[in-house]
Structures are given as structure tokens and as C-alpha cells.
Amino acid sequence: MSPIVKRIHSDQELPAKADVVVIGGGIIGATAAFFLAERGLSVALVEKGHVGGEQSSRNWGWCRRQNRDARELPLSGIALQAWDEFAAKIGEDVGFRRCGLLYATDNPQQLAEWEAWRELARPFDVNTKMLSAKEAAAAIPAKGRQWLGGVHSIDDGKGEPAIAAPTIANGARKFGATIHQECAARGLELVNGAVAGVITEKGLIRTQAVLCAGGAWTSMFCRQYGVLFPQASVRQTALRTRPTANLGEAIYTPECALTRRLDGSYTLAISGRAMLDITPQGIRYARWFMPMFLMRLKAVQIGIGGSFFHGPEAFARWNSDTTSPFERMRVLDPAPSRRTMAAILKGVTKQFPALKGIEIADSWGAYVDCTPDAVPVISPADVKGLYIAAGGSGHGFGLGPGIGRLAADLVANDTPCVDPSPFRLSRFVDGSKVKVGGI
Ligand SMILES: Cc1cc2nc3c(=O)[nH]c(=O)nc-3n(C[C@H](O)[C@H](O)[C@H](O)COP(=O)(O)OP(=O)(O)OC[C@H]3O[C@@H](n4cnc5c(N)ncnc54)[C@H](O)[C@@H]3O)c2cc1C
């Protein structure tokens, strides 16, 4: 079942032309549309379902620099600053709060990894503090646990997935962007190998610049034009409680993660626990994902199901005159795993007795789109005028405004806000070693 997400209206008329067409109304597409429109370009955002309907409303909302790969640290600073500024620029709360994030563990190896990460992050001016066993116990008083230590990432925060992408897309509209929902992009019109338009189910928009920010569907869309984007999705599960006792804003323990929402409810989940469905796309890109798969073997369950035949990783053929796979599945809404739900509730109620008997308002599944190195792709593709911004790899919500900002810089041919080379698509084919990033 889909989680609650704010609904925004669509613009009636599809524009005949635009400086830029953004495909996909998740956090990346919405923020890219915002930054492009803010600098005076005409922008049309097309979304096959409703804005924020897929990953961007299904996540925990953690917006962090903590535990990020060094390649992402400069961009994560840009992202947090953008989160800070949206409310004033848009005139509406997007739900972001700099509440700090708390982590505790009794696993010595995990604690050592957090400690080592601080060294890596030192040149990037990240405000984070290691917690002693006593400090961790005071910060996260979990029943029956003796923490070895923890981390307080002081300047990090959390956003509100139920409202962020729709509110930011509406903000883009204030700068002149148009928003078109239930309007799938079926393909591109190419002239002499360069983008000349986007063919949507509602008609053609002429443009010379397209940003594909289609989340889990990006690889399938781009493959039509011979663009190879190794992408794989894993299925995760989360729950939402009804408003309840306040245990803290954002808490990580090895058995559960709790994130308090603005209405006093909690999003509950387990970090890293995922299902990997075998799919035609998964088989196609298996060799790129082998290093990550081997690293995360213990946390991943393998399965086979409907996603082999339907959805972003299925085998599909279509042409621009007929219904595309994007229209056949307006919202990617996999079932939550009952086993994971039970494990989450067990972990939460055992450690936090105040939540015993907690009422669950909602539960959902979601596909997390990943790249082989867990670093997003923000890059031109090998088709003139086509750009890609996708592959959030389970941490693209917090980084989303940074990804959107860098994508806008590249599309508009402005000076990039950070060095874009770590995010180039060609790293997967130019002989570079795949180094799986982050913790
Ligand atoms: C359970 C869970 C917990 C997570 N926790 C966190 C967290 O705490 N912090 C964090 O930073 N990240 C987290 N993430 C990851 C984060 O949610 C994603 O990385 C991020 O939301 C990806 O945003 P996106 O815009 O790329 O994709 P999406 O939000 O999936 O948006 C893509 C959009 O493109 C549309 N689309 C696709 N193809 C087409 C087409 N052809 N035409 C028109 N529209 C199209 C889709 O309908 C969709 O709405 C979590 C994810 C999950 C599932």
C-alpha cells in the first residue's frame, strides 16, 4: 500500500516547447526543475503517476553527511544548504529540520568503521561526534542493550517524505515550470542523433535538453537509445505508526531505525535489510553489481516474482505511438515484506517498551534504485541533449537537492557546483575500478 503523499495539481496544457523537459517527479526531478526554473529557463516536468509517488515518499527522510562516501561529501554540503533554503524561497515548509541524527551500536566492527569514517570526513568540515558507551546509553536508552558507543551527527537532519517533492515541484511552478502528472514520457524525438523533443502520452514537447530523473525506471528509458546505465533495484519495507510517545527525532540501532514525523508518528525500518528480485535487467547488469552483492550478501534475500515480468526491470518493447511500460504501472508499489515488518516491530518494541502495543497506521514496500558503486549518476549521456540524474542507492533523498542542483548546472551549461567527474556515467565502461561507496 502506498504511503500518504501530498497531492498537487497538474497544469492543463502541455507546452509545445520548453528549454528543458524533466522526466520524473521524485525528489531529484522536482529539485532539478526548481533550480532550472529559478535561473529563468522554461521547464516542463512530466511524471507518469503523481509527484513523489515512488521512492521519494517511501523513505525515512534522513538528510545526512554522516557515513557518506568521500565522492558525495562536497555535494552533501550543497544538498543540506538547499534543504535549509527551500522554505524561504518557496514560501512553504518542506518539512526539513536540522535535528541531528543519533547512532548507537554494540558491534565493535561497526563502531570502528564510524570512527574511521570521521578521519575520511575531516577535510570536509563535517560536524560529528563519537559517543562513549555512557553517552550513547543516555542518547538512546534501549532496554537490555549496553552500547559500546555511538555517533551524534550534529548538523544532519531529516525531511518529510510525504510533502517534500510535491512542495518543491510546486515551488518550481512559482518560477514558471509546468507540472504534468499521469503524463509518461514514452521516448525522445531525435534529429541527427540529437534530442529534438520528448514524446509523452499526451503529445510532443519540443526541446533540446532532457533530464531523465526517472528513479528505478531510468535505465529502461535510456536503453531505447543505446545508453547503457547499470542500475538495479532492491525491495525494502517500512512502517508508519500513529502519533505516539516522543523517543527522539532520528535514531539508528542495529535492529531498527526510528524517525519522528512532524505529526508525532514514527517511520520504522531496519537499515540495509532488502530483497533482491531476479529480473531480466538484473541479469543484464549482474557483472557490474557483483562487488556490491558480495559485500552485502548477508543483508540481502534473493527472490523471484512479478518484477521479472512487470515493472522497471522487466523485458519490454514498445514504440512511441503505443502504451509504454511507464503508463502500465503509474506507481511502483510493491508489497511490504511480512517477515521484515515482524522483525522491525520486534526490534522496536524490545528496545523501546514505551512503544509496546503501538498502532501501525501504514506499511509499504519500495524499490531502491542503485548503481554498482552506490554513488548516483549525474551526467550527460551519449545522446546529445540527454542527461541522467538517478541511482540514489538508498540515500538519494537527503542528497536529492544536491543531485538536482548539479544536474541543473550541467543541463544549463553553468559552472558546476562541485566536480561532476565522480558522477559521470562513463565510469562504468571506461575501465575505472568499481569502488562501493559509503557505509
Ligand atoms: C525504505 C527506504 C528508505 C530510504 N531512506 C532514505 C533516507 O533516509 N535518506 C535518503 O537520503 N534516502 C533514502 N532512501 C532513498 C531515497 O528514497 C531515494 O534515493 C530517492 O527518493 C530517489 O529519488 P528519485 O527522484 O531518483 O526517484 P523517485 O522518487 O523514485 O522518482 C522517480 C519518478 O520518476 C517517475 N518516472 C519514471 N519513469 C518515467 C517516465 N518515463 N515518464 C514520467 N515519469 C517517470 C516515477 O513515476 C517516479 O515518480 C530510502 C529509500 C527507501 C525505499
Side-chain angles (χ1 to χ4, degrees):
M1 192 176 120
S2 291
I4 296 167
V5 59
K6 172 177 167 174
R7 294 299 188 101
I8 59 172
H9 72 273
S10 293
D11 290 281
Q12 288 299 317
E13 295 265 310
L14 199 68
K17 60 180 181 170
D19 292 329
V20 186
V21 175
V22 175
I23 299 172
I27 194 69
I28 295 177
T31 55
F34 179 90
F35 291 121
L36 287 161
E38 191 190 28
R39 59 189 82 176
L41 295 169
S42 63
V43 179
L45 186 157
V46 298
E47 163 56 53
K48 67 180 172 57
H50 53 270
V51 168
E54 294 194 349
Q55 293 172 85
S56 296
S57 58
R58 292 163 192 260
N59 62 76
W60 313 349
W62 287 37
C63 301
R64 60 180 173 86
R65 306 193 78 195
Q66 181 69 38
N67 293 344
R68 279 199 184 274
D69 188 80
R71 289 165 284 186
E72 290 179 339
L73 276 169
L75 198 57
S76 66
I78 304 270
L80 284 179
Q81 191 187 338
W83 278 115
D84 278 335
E85 292 171 358
F86 279 132
K89 286 183 174 181
I90 296 172
E92 218 176 312
D93 186 11
V94 301
F96 177 67
R97 303 286 185 271
R98 289 249 189 189
C99 57
L101 308 174
L102 286 167
Y103 302 69
T105 188
D106 43 17
N107 176 337
Q109 192 191 333
Q110 190 170 38
L111 197 62
E113 281 178 5
W114 293 345
E115 180 77 62
W117 179 85
R118 258 162 53 91
E119 284 312 306
L120 172 153
R122 210 175 288 283
F124 300 97
D125 210 19
V126 178
N127 190 8
T128 183
K129 182 179 180 284
M130 291 304 293
L131 302 177
S132 66
K134 205 168 147 197
E135 286 168 331
I140 306 182
K143 190 176 169 213
R145 302 302 289 266
Q146 284 205 314
W147 304 129
L148 273 180
V151 171
H152 182 198
S153 68
I154 297 155
D155 287 349
D156 287 345
K158 59 174 174 122
E160 206 66 0
I163 61 171
T167 308
I168 294 166
N170 256 346
R173 183 150 38 202
K174 289 195 176 161
F175 290 101
T178 57
I179 316 281
H180 310 277
Q181 298 171 105
E182 304 235 325
C183 182
R186 290 176 172 170
L188 303 175
E189 177 152 289
L190 300 182
V191 174
N192 297 329
V195 169
V198 174
I199 303 158
T200 79
E201 62 180 292
K202 295 184 178 166
L204 173 73
I205 309 174
R206 279 188 290 118
T207 187
Q208 292 181 352
V210 177
L211 176 66
C212 188
W217 303 83
T218 306
S219 191
M220 177 185 263
F221 185 89
C222 293
R223 203 157 46 241
Q224 302 178 76
Y225 305 99
V227 174
L228 181 145
F229 174 30
Q231 190 184 27
S233 295
V234 291
R235 188 148 48 97
Q236 294 198 344
T237 292
L239 309 170
R240 181 163 165 149
T241 70
R242 296 204 186 281
T244 185
N246 188 353
L247 301 177
E249 295 298 324
I251 294 171
Y252 165 93
T253 79
E255 285 76 32
C256 58
L258 295 82
T259 315
R260 192 166 171 82
R261 306 269 68 107
L262 292 177
D263 69 354
S265 62
Y266 275 99
T267 305
L268 308 178
I270 304 183
S271 178
R273 173 82 65 100
M275 284 280 294
L276 178 69
D277 295 340
I278 295 179
T279 61
Q281 181 173 293
I283 294 166
R284 179 178 293 120
Y285 294 133
R287 82 176 166 87
W288 275 275
F289 283 92
M290 216 32 95
M292 180 186 292
F293 181 64
L294 293 174
M295 265 176 81
R296 309 218 163 135
L297 202 53
K298 275 197 205 144
V300 175
Q301 243 184 293
I302 305 214
I304 187 158
S307 56
F308 194 92
F309 304 102
H310 312 284
E313 301 203 358
F315 176 77
R317 259 187 210 287
W318 71 99
N319 67 51
S320 300
D321 303 328
T322 53
T323 307
S324 69
F326 313 111
E327 296 143 78
R328 276 186 227 118
M329 196 176 277
R330 295 278 173 202
V331 179
L332 185 56
D333 182 27
S337 147
R338 283 176 188 277
R339 204 161 129 188
T340 306
M341 281 164 58
I344 295 169
L345 283 174
K346 188 171 164 207
V348 168
T349 50
K350 215 167 143 193
Q351 295 181 95
F352 305 102
L355 295 188
K356 213 168 183 126
I358 186 83
E359 276 187 77
I360 300 304
D362 232 350
S363 60
W364 59 86
Y367 280 104
V368 175
D369 78 299
C370 302
T371 62
D373 56 9
V375 170
V377 165
I378 313 162
S379 174
D382 267 349
V383 173
K384 189 163 185 277
L386 173 62
Y387 297 80
I388 293 176
S393 305
H395 50 266
F397 178 78
L399 195 63
I403 300 172
R405 166 68 202 278
L406 178 59
D409 293 344
L410 297 178
V411 173
N413 203 17
D414 288 337
T415 307
C417 57
V418 299
D419 172 13
S421 62
F423 308 107
R424 71 196 189 284
L425 178 61
S426 61
R427 68 187 190 267
F428 300 120
V429 290
D430 65 6
S432 305
K433 192 168 183 308
V434 174
K435 184 176 158 277
V436 181
I439 299 179

